[in-house]
Amino acid sequence: MSVTGIGAAVRRKEDRRFITGKGHYTDDINRPGQTFACFIRSPHAHAKIKNIDVSAASRLPGVAGIFTGAQFAEDKLGSLICGWTVLSKDGSPMKMAPHPALAAGKANCVGDAVAVVLAETLAQAKDAAERVVVDYEPLPAVVDPAKAAAAGAPLIHDVAPNNTIYNWHLGDAEATNAALKNARHVTTLEFINNRLVPNAMEPRAALAEYDAASGSLTLWNATQNPHVARLVISAFVGVAPENKLRVIAPDVGGGFGSKIFIYPEEVVCLWAARKLGRPVKWTAERSESFITDAHGRDHVTKAQMAFDGDGRITALKVHTTANLGAYMSTFSSAVPTFLYATLLSGQYEIPHIYCEVDAVYTNTVPVDAYRGAGRPEATFVVERLVEVGARELGVDPATLRQKNFVKTFPYQTSVASLYDAGDYQASLQKALELHDYKGFARRKRDSERNGKLRGIGFATYIEACGVAPSALVGQLGAGVGLWESAEVRVNPTGSVEVLTGCHQHGQGHETTFAQLVADRLGLSIDQVNILHGDTDIVQFGMGTYGSRSGAVGMSAIVRALDKVEAKAKKIAAHLLEAAEGDIVFKDGKFTVAGTDKSAAWGEVALGAYVAHKFPTSEIEPGLKESAFYDPTNFTFPAGCHICEVEIDPETGDTQVVGWTAVDDFGTVINPMIVEGQVHGGVAQGVGQALLEHTVYDDKGQLVTGSYMDYAMPRADNLPSLQVDTTVTKCPTNPLGIKGCGEAGAIAAPAAVMNAITNALGTELIDMPATPATVWATLQKTHTLPRAA
Amino acid sequence: MYAFTFHRPQTLRQAANLLTKNDEAKLLAGGHTLLPTMKLRLAGPPQIVDLSLVEGLAGIEQSGRSITIGAMTRHNDVSNSPVVQQAIPALAKLAGMIGDPAVRHMGTIGGSIANNDPNADYPAACLGLGAIIITNKRRIKADDFFTGMFSTALEPAEIITKVSFPIPKKAAYQKFRNQASRFALVGVFVSKRGSEIRVAVTGAGANGVFRVPSFEEALKKRFSPKSLEGMSIPADGMNSDIHGSAEYRAHLVGVLARRAVAEAIGK
Ligand SMILES: Cc1cc2nc3c(=O)[nH]c(=O)nc-3n(C[C@H](O)[C@H](O)[C@H](O)COP(=O)(O)OP(=O)(O)OC[C@H]3O[C@@H](n4cnc5c(N)ncnc54)[C@H](O)[C@@H]3O)c2cc1C
C-alpha cells in the first residue's frame, strides 16, 4: 500500500476549501440581472385555493413578476413524478396523483407552494409576497397514517380512494401463517418508526438562467444527481428539452437523500427565468426546509417473529403502513417496499417471511429516502424482534443471534435478496470483545449504586447498497437503470481527470476516487482531479445515494482504467519496441518483461498525444476511456453495533455511555473517511432514537418547525465511539467494496432502543425516547420510585 | 427583516430620548433574541436603538456584599469573571450554561432579563438571589420585576443599566435542558443568605419564573436536600408541551431543587 493508495487514511483534499470558507455553493453564485424568488406557501394543511389576488403586490417596488399555480397550469407543463412504479397485490399500479410545481385548485400540505414572487431583491420579494392575497377555503386534514385510509377520512387526491397509494406485499403469506401457528413462541411488537426532518447543513437552492440566443436554460442546483434532475425536468415536466438544459450541482452541503429528489422550486425557477428573461434565484430558509424538504421514515408497524423450541427463527410477519405525505416524491414508492421488505431477513436464516405494506397519502410534507432509506426501518423491525425474542425466551441476545446467523454464502433469503458474502459471527465476536460485553453486569451494578439504570442493546444489521443490476430494478418498477459511468481522461503530461456520474456532497470522492486512480497509475493524488456535477461536462450518470458511489461508481472507474491501461500498454509497446504481451505496468512504469527497458507513465501519456511512434491506423491518438458499469447484484454490508445507555430514573434523561461498531464494508479505500461515515451515521441514528421528533398537530401544522423544538444530535449527545471493521470482500465488483455511508444510521436506532428497553424492563416505548417519554414510561411501569 | 432606522447613541440619556420620541423603537443589546424575531418578520420595529456604544453599560464590580453586573455584559464575560466565580460561583456557572459559545459572546444579561423568556436562565438567578434590577429611572427588586411570560415591570423608555446581586452564603443552579433549544425545560436556583432562603424556578411555570415558598419554608428548618424529600409542587400552572407534561415539569422542580441544595452544600 502506498501512502495515498487504497487503504490509506489520506486527509480529504476538499477540506481545505470547505474549512477555509472557499466552498462554492449554489447560493454563492450570482448571475447578472438576477431576480430573487419568494414562494407563497399554503398555511393550511388542506385547503381549496379559491382566488389569488396579486394586484396590490404587483405594484410594489422592485417586483418583476408574480406567477400562480393557475398560470403554471396554463403553460401545460408536466407534473413532478415518482419514478418507481410499485404494483398493489391485485396488480394495479400505484395511485400517483399529479404534483404540479405550483399547486392550483387545492393545497395539500402546509408549505405547498401556490405562487411565486420575483423581485430585484429578496426583501422586495418578501414584501410583495406578504401582499399577495390568497383566498383559501380550509378543508379537514388527515395527518396520522394509521387513520388516513379509514372510512370518513378526508380525501386528498381523487385518483387515490381511501388515500391509499398501494397495498403491496412480498413473500409467502400461507407458509408464514402456518409457521406462526406451529411456533413454540411468537414475539409480537407494535411500533412507530418516527418521521424525521433531514436538515442538511446547506439548505436547498436553485438558480436558473435563460439564454435567449441559444434558447437554453442553465440550472445551478443543490442536488445529489444532476443528470437525473435534468432528465426528469426535461422529459416529464417539459420545461426544456434535455439538450437545452444544463444542470450544475456545485459544492453541495449535505443531502442525506433529501437532495436526490426533483422539487417544485427548481422547476419554478427555470420556468420563471424563461418567462421573465432574467435569472431567478431561490435559497431555502431553514423554516422553509422544515416544511419542504422530503421527510424520512414515518412507518406504523406490527410485526411477529416465530421461534421453534430450539430458539430458531421460523417465520417473520410484518404489516407496515407507510406515510408518503401529500405527494409521491421522486423515489418514495420504493423506500417502504423494495428497499425495506427485501432486507427483513436481517443476518438470519428465516425460512418464511411475509410483509404487507400499505402506503397512504396524508396532508403532510412528502416522505422519501433519508439516510438508510427503508433499511433502518427493516433493521428496526428485525433487531427489535430478535432482542425481545431473546428476552422472552430467556436466552442471551448475542447467543440467539449467533444461532440464527446465515453462515454459508451465497444465501438466498425468502424475500428475494441473495446475500453474496459475509461473516456475521466474526463481526459480532469482535464487537463483544471490544465492548467488554462480559463486564456489563459489573457496570450495571456500578450504575445502580449511583441510582442509575443501565442497559445494553445490539443491532446486527444488514443493508443493501449499490441497488442493481439495472435489468432487475427495471423489472421491479424503477424508471431508471442504476449503473454508473466514468471517464478517465489522461492529459499529455500524465495527470488525470476523472469524470464521474456520482456526485459528492460530503462523501469525500475527490479524495477516495483520486486514491484509487493514483494507486493504479502510480501518480500522486494531487495529479488526479475528480470532476462531477455538471451535465455539460460529465457524461450521464446516476448520482450519489444509497452508498452506491464506492461499489458502483468506483467500479466504473476501474473499468475505464482497465481500458486506459490496455491502450497505454499498446502505445508503450511501440515506444519500447517490444511485443504488447511483454509489457508489464507497475508503479507507474511500463517495462518490457525480463529486460531493464522501461517507459514512465508520463512518457507514454505524451507518446499517446504526440502520436509519433505508433500507427494511427491501428491505434487512435490520445488516451481517454470511458465505462458504464452495471453491477450483477446489490452489495451487502453488515455488522454489529452495541450500545450501552445509562438512564437517570428521576428525570428520564438517557445518556449513551458506550458504543462499539464493527462493520464489514468489504474493501476500505480510506479508513478515516469510513470511520467518519460511521460516526455521522451513528449520530443520526442516535438522533432518531433519542431526540428527533417530527410532530404535526391534528390540523396538519408542523409543531416542530425549527431548532427550538426539533432536537438535532450534537457532539455531546454521543460518547467516544469505538469503530472497527472486519472484511469479507464483495465478490461481485472489482474492488470488493460494499459501501459504508448509511450503516450507522441503519444500526443505531435499533441498538439504542434495545439498550433503553433493556434498562427499563419494558418494551412499551417508541422513538424518540426523550427524557419526558422515558420518565412517563417509568411512571406507568411502576418498577421504580414514583414521582416524588 | 423589515427596513428600520438604526441609531447608535453614545449616552444613556440619548438612548432614552430616542425611545421616548419613538414609541415603537426597540433597544438592541446582544441581538440574540431580537434579531431572530426580526429576521422571521415576527417583529418589525421601525427604529432600533443600539446600546453597544453607550459608555459604562458593561462590566462587573464587587462592592461590599454584592456584585454588580452592567446590562451590556456578555454571558461569556460573566461566566469567565474571576470576581463572579469567587463570590457567586453558581451565577458564573449559570452564565456558562446559556446557549452555545456564539450566543454567550453576544447575548447580554440586560437583554435576557428585559426579555424574560419563560425558559431563560438569568431570571432564575435574579429571583433566586434576590437581585436588584437597576434602570435609568429606579431600582426594582427581582420579586417585583418579572411579571409574567415575556413581561416585566419595565416602563416604556426604561433601560436596564445594571443588576446587583447580593452575595449568598450558599447557592447553586440546576438546569435540565430542553433537548432542542437547550434553554431550561426546568431550572431551579437555590440560595441561602443569612436566614433568607430562596428557591426560584424557570422553565416550568406558565407565567415564567416563580419562587416556591413551601420549599423555602422547609429549607429554613434545615438547608439540606433531605428537607425536600417527598416534596413536590402542584402541576397546575405548569407549562405543558411536546417537550414535557405539566406533571413532568412539576416533578422535575422537586428533583432539581433537591439536587441544587445538595450542590450548594457541597454534597
Ligand atoms: C441559539 C440560542 C440559544 C440560546 N440559549 C439560551 C439559554 O440556554 N438560556 C438563556 O437564558 N437564553 C438563551 N438564549 C437567549 C440569549 O441569552 C439572549 O441573548 C438573551 O435572551 C437576550 O439578550 P440579548 O443581549 O441578545 O438581547 P436582545 O436580543 O438584543 O434584546 C432582547 C430584548 O430585550 C430588550 N433589551 C435589551 N437590552 C435592554 C436593556 N438594557 N434594557 C431594557 N431592554 C433591553 C430589547 O429591546 C429586546 O426586546 C439563546 C439564544 C439563542 C439565539
Side-chain angles (χ1 to χ4, degrees):
Chain A
M1 180 179 95
S2 76
V3 286
T4 62
I6 291 177
V10 181
R11 286 204 184 164
R12 305 200 327 166
K13 288 169 77 171
E14 45 276 78
D15 282 345
R16 177 172 291 275
R17 81 171 181 276
F18 293 147
I19 62 180
T20 56
K22 302 270 163 48
H24 204 57
Y25 299 88
T26 298
D27 192 58
D28 294 325
I29 297 162
N30 293 297
R31 302 299 299 164
Q34 77 193 7
T35 61
F36 292 84
C38 176
F39 285 87
I40 294 156
R41 301 185 181 281
S42 172
H44 304 288
H46 200 192
K48 270 195 197 136
I49 304 161
K50 291 169 66 181
N51 184 46
I52 300 182
D53 180 357
V54 302
S55 51
S58 313
R59 289 193 293 270
L60 289 181
V63 174
I66 302 179
F67 301 121
T68 65
Q71 282 161 289
F72 190 83
E74 274 163 27
D75 280 4
K76 302 245 176 318
L77 290 167
S79 188
L80 291 165
I81 52 139
C82 174
W84 195 310
T85 304
V86 168
L87 305 180
S88 277
K89 290 171 192 168
D90 63 7
S92 62
M94 64 189 192
K95 307 293 184 291
M96 180 163 62
H99 184 191
L102 287 177
K106 193 157 82 86
N108 293 311
C109 63
V110 169
D112 216 353
V114 302
V116 65
V117 176
L118 306 149
E120 302 299 330
T121 69
L122 183 56
Q124 287 171 331
K126 287 185 174 187
D127 287 344
E130 285 179 1
R131 301 288 293 279
V132 172
V133 184
V134 186
D135 184 7
Y136 293 103
E137 179 189 324
L139 300 169
V142 59
V143 296
D144 180 350
K147 293 180 185 152
L155 185 67
I156 301 172
H157 299 289
D158 293 339
V159 299
N162 302 319
N163 296 317
T164 298
I165 301 169
Y166 52 72
N167 302 110
W168 178 87
H169 68 161
L170 181 70
D172 185 339
E174 221 171 286
T176 305
N177 286 332
L180 279 163
K181 226 168 113 197
N182 298 328
R184 170 63 74 81
H185 179 80
V186 176
T187 294
T188 304
L189 286 177
E190 290 182 38
F191 42 78
I192 290 169
N193 202 299
N194 46 326
R195 178 187 273 249
L196 303 174
V197 180
N199 287 301
M201 202 184 292
E202 180 209 17
R204 286 191 299 113
L207 168 60
E209 182 169 31
Y210 179 61
D211 176 33
S214 64
S216 58
L217 282 155
T218 301
L219 172 70
W220 289 266
N221 192 196
T223 172
Q224 297 176 218
N225 40 201
H227 284 95
V228 178
R230 182 173 72 154
L231 176 63
V232 171
I233 293 170
S234 60
F236 293 91
V237 185
V239 177
E242 204 174 3
N243 62 324
K244 298 277 184 192
L245 176 60
R246 175 182 186 183
V247 178
I248 302 172
D251 281 333
V252 173
F256 311 112
S258 70
K259 291 175 185 161
I260 300 173
F261 323 122
I262 321 306
Y263 287 93
E265 289 83 3
E266 47 261 31
V267 167
V268 170
C269 286
L270 284 164
W271 171 66
R274 160 128 68 188
K275 267 183 126 58
L276 283 184
R278 294 177 63 182
V280 173
K281 182 172 190 172
W282 170 78
T283 302
E285 298 193 347
R286 188 58 66 182
S287 335
E288 259 181 316
S289 302
F290 268 93
I291 54 166
T292 66
D293 290 5
H295 292 175
R297 322 280 189 251
D298 209 344
H299 285 192
V300 181
T301 295
K302 180 177 177 188
Q304 292 171 288
M305 186 173 266
F307 296 89
D308 68 12
D310 213 21
R312 276 184 205 286
I313 306 169
T314 55
L316 171 64
K317 187 173 174 183
V318 181
H319 182 279
T320 292
T321 303
N323 186 355
L324 298 193
Y327 300 99
M328 292 189 76
S329 173
T330 317
F331 287 111
S332 57
S333 56
V335 177
T337 51
F338 297 110
L339 298 179
Y340 170 66
T342 52
L343 291 181
L344 285 171
S345 204
Q347 297 187 355
Y348 315 107
E349 289 194 16
I350 306 181
H352 305 292
I353 302 177
Y354 180 62
C355 176
E356 289 175 289
V357 180
D358 300 331
V360 294
Y361 285 117
T362 60
N363 297 109
T364 60
V365 174
V367 177
D368 206 329
Y370 173 66
R371 201 171 192 170
R375 292 153 289 167
E377 296 92 315
T379 299
F380 197 77
V381 172
V382 178
E383 290 304 298
R384 285 285 292 130
L385 281 170
V386 170
E387 192 95 10
V388 176
R391 286 171 194 163
E392 290 174 353
L393 294 169
V395 185
D396 178 88
T399 313
L400 188 75
R401 284 180 167 83
Q402 281 164 325
K403 175 170 271 171
N404 287 285
F405 277 161
V406 170
K407 293 179 188 88
T408 47
F409 296 87
Y411 174 77
Q412 176 63 57
T413 68
S414 45
V415 276
S417 298
L418 177 69
Y419 297 170
D420 52 3
D423 186 346
Y424 308 144
Q425 175 59 27
S427 43
L428 175 71
Q429 199 54 46
K430 194 165 184 180
L432 290 174
E433 281 158 26
L434 281 176
H435 193 83
D436 184 20
Y437 182 52
K438 290 206 187 91
F440 175 69
R442 177 178 39 78
R443 295 192 293 276
K444 189 174 170 74
R445 278 194 303 277
D446 290 347
S447 295
E448 271 162 13
R449 230 169 278 135
N450 296 321
K452 301 277 176 64
L453 306 171
R454 202 175 185 101
I456 192 164
F458 291 81
T460 50
Y461 73 95
I462 188 144
E463 66 151 322
C465 300
V467 174
S470 298
L472 174 69
V473 298
Q475 279 166 25
L476 298 180
V480 287
L482 286 165
W483 45 264
E484 196 44 81
S485 70
E487 181 173 307
V488 173
R489 224 160 60 181
V490 180
N491 296 319
T493 57
S495 63
V496 174
E497 277 112 38
V498 177
L499 284 64
T500 170
C502 295
H503 180 272
Q504 86 160 17
H505 34 276
Q507 294 81 356
H509 296 167
E510 287 174 32
T511 305
T512 49
F513 288 13
Q515 282 181 260
L516 163 66
V517 176
D519 206 29
R520 177 78 180 261
L521 302 180
L523 301 171
S524 83
I525 58 169
D526 293 332
Q527 289 170 285
V528 183
N529 281 5
I530 308 300
L531 305 179
H532 64 96
D534 184 337
T535 58
D536 263 15
I537 293 178
V538 178
Q539 70 291 343
F540 200 98
M542 296 308 302
T544 287
Y545 38 83
S547 308
R548 66 189 303 277
S549 300
V552 192
M554 290 181 92
S555 296
I557 297 174
V558 170
R559 288 288 162 82
L561 284 169
D562 290 345
K563 295 184 193 174
V564 164
E565 185 180 320
K567 181 168 179 188
K569 274 183 175 162
K570 282 197 177 114
I571 293 166
H574 283 279
L575 296 185
L576 296 168
E577 296 173 335
E580 192 191 328
D582 291 339
I583 302 290
V584 179
F585 179 60
K586 204 170 167 262
D587 299 333
K589 228 163 64 178
F590 296 85
T591 37
V592 181
T595 75
D596 59 358
K597 279 210 291 186
S598 72
W601 166 255
E603 291 172 55
V604 175
L606 188 63
Y609 283 94
V610 296
H612 292 166
K613 298 214 170 138
F614 54 87
T616 52
S617 55
E618 279 169 36
I619 305 172
E620 288 176 14
L623 195 51
K624 177 188 99 162
E625 297 290 346
S626 63
F628 284 72
Y629 171 79
D630 193 30
T632 54
N633 191 1
F634 300 8
T635 68
F636 295 96
C640 174
H641 285 222
I642 305 178
C643 165
E644 211 163 306
V645 298
E646 202 175 52
I647 297 174
D648 177 347
E650 278 196 314
T651 62
D653 183 50
T654 301
Q655 294 294 323
V656 176
V657 290
W659 199 283
T660 304
V662 178
D663 298 290
D664 179 356
F665 297 137
T667 304
V668 168
I669 305 292
N670 183 326
M672 182 193 69
I673 288 181
V674 166
E675 194 175 332
Q677 289 285 331
V678 175
H679 282 200
V682 168
Q684 268 173 308
V686 169
Q688 168 163 28
L690 294 182
L691 302 158
E692 299 187 42
H693 200 191
T694 310
V695 182
Y696 276 98
D697 70 12
D698 293 346
K699 298 209 165 67
Q701 296 294 332
L702 181 62
V703 178
T704 50
S706 83
Y707 295 135
M708 291 301 281
D709 292 304
Y710 189 88
M712 293 289 289
R714 304 178 214 204
D716 64 3
N717 291 121
L718 296 161
S720 189
L721 309 175
Q722 280 199 82
V723 176
D724 211 326
T725 53
T726 54
V727 179
T728 62
K729 293 199 175 186
C730 172
T732 58
N733 64 52
L735 292 165
I737 293 181
K738 296 185 179 179
C740 69
E742 295 157 295
I746 291 170
V752 174
M753 293 313 286
N754 282 339
I756 289 178
T757 51
N758 174 240
L760 296 179
T762 173
E763 309 301 339
L764 299 175
I765 181 165
D766 268 318
M767 298 188 286
T770 63
T773 310
V774 169
W775 179 78
T777 306
L778 282 170
Q779 300 314 297
K780 268 186 257 158
T781 52
H782 298 288
T783 49
L784 278 156
R786 294 190 331 108
Chain B
M1 229 180 241
Y2 296 104
F4 55 85
T5 309
F6 191 56
H7 302 280
R8 304 194 95 182
Q10 313 265 332
T11 66
L12 204 54
R13 181 182 295 266
Q14 286 169 359
N17 282 343
L18 283 163
L19 292 181
T20 315
K21 269 193 281 171
N22 311 288
D23 322 337
E24 286 179 85
K26 274 272 180 197
L27 291 173
L28 176 69
H32 266 51
T33 293
L34 184 58
L35 297 182
T37 52
M38 288 170 64
K39 285 189 184 170
L40 288 166
R41 294 190 161 210
L42 296 173
Q47 316 267 340
I48 291 286
V49 180
D50 175 20
L51 290 176
S52 62
L53 298 186
V54 174
E55 290 279 318
L57 282 185
I60 298 167
E61 266 170 39
Q62 179 164 1
S63 51
R65 291 166 175 222
S66 61
I67 282 193
T68 304
I69 301 179
M72 285 296 285
T73 312
R74 316 279 168 184
H75 308 330
N76 191 60
D77 296 329
V78 175
S79 115
N80 290 324
S81 154
V83 175
V84 183
Q85 284 170 354
Q86 220 268 315
I88 320 179
L91 184 61
K93 188 179 146 201
L94 174 145
M97 291 166 89
I98 298 174
D100 51 43
V103 173
R104 292 195 290 276
H105 278 84
M106 288 304 290
T108 66
I109 188 168
S112 174
I113 292 170
N115 191 49
N116 193 19
D117 186 304
N119 300 291
D121 298 300
Y122 268 131
C126 292
L127 200 58
L129 287 165
I132 309 280
I133 287 91
I134 301 162
T135 74
N136 57 337
K137 298 188 174 157
R138 56 190 168 138
R139 298 165 64 87
I140 312 169
K141 285 191 194 138
D143 288 300
D144 303 326
F145 183 83
F146 301 104
T147 54
M149 86 155 66
F150 297 110
S151 93
T152 66
L154 288 174
E155 286 164 7
E158 189 166 14
I159 302 173
I160 300 174
T161 56
K162 291 178 205 151
V163 186
S164 174
F165 294 95
I167 297 172
K169 187 139 186 289
K170 292 178 176 134
Y173 179 60
Q174 283 278 325
K175 173 176 183 176
F176 194 82
R177 290 185 167 92
N178 171 317
Q179 299 193 100
S181 70
R182 298 216 169 178
F183 276 71
L185 185 72
V186 177
V188 179
F189 201 105
V190 300
S191 75
K192 175 176 164 58
R193 186 167 56 98
S195 61
E196 189 174 342
I197 306 277
R198 283 175 172 260
V199 177
V201 176
T202 188
N207 281 316
V209 63
F210 64 92
R211 286 173 70 179
V212 189
S214 59
F215 286 17
E216 292 174 356
E217 284 308 313
L219 290 169
K220 267 187 194 145
K221 294 183 193 115
R222 195 171 147 225
F223 195 73
S224 151
K226 287 225 164 60
S227 310
L228 300 177
E229 209 73 63
M231 290 185 75
S232 88
I233 61 166
D236 306 345
M238 295 296 113
N239 266 327
S240 186
D241 58 25
I242 56 164
H243 304 290
S245 62
E247 292 71 29
Y248 179 57
R249 282 181 160 92
H251 163 77
L252 283 181
V253 170
V255 173
L256 298 176
R258 282 189 288 281
R259 291 183 182 182
V261 174
E263 185 184 338
I265 62 174
K267 280 220 173 123

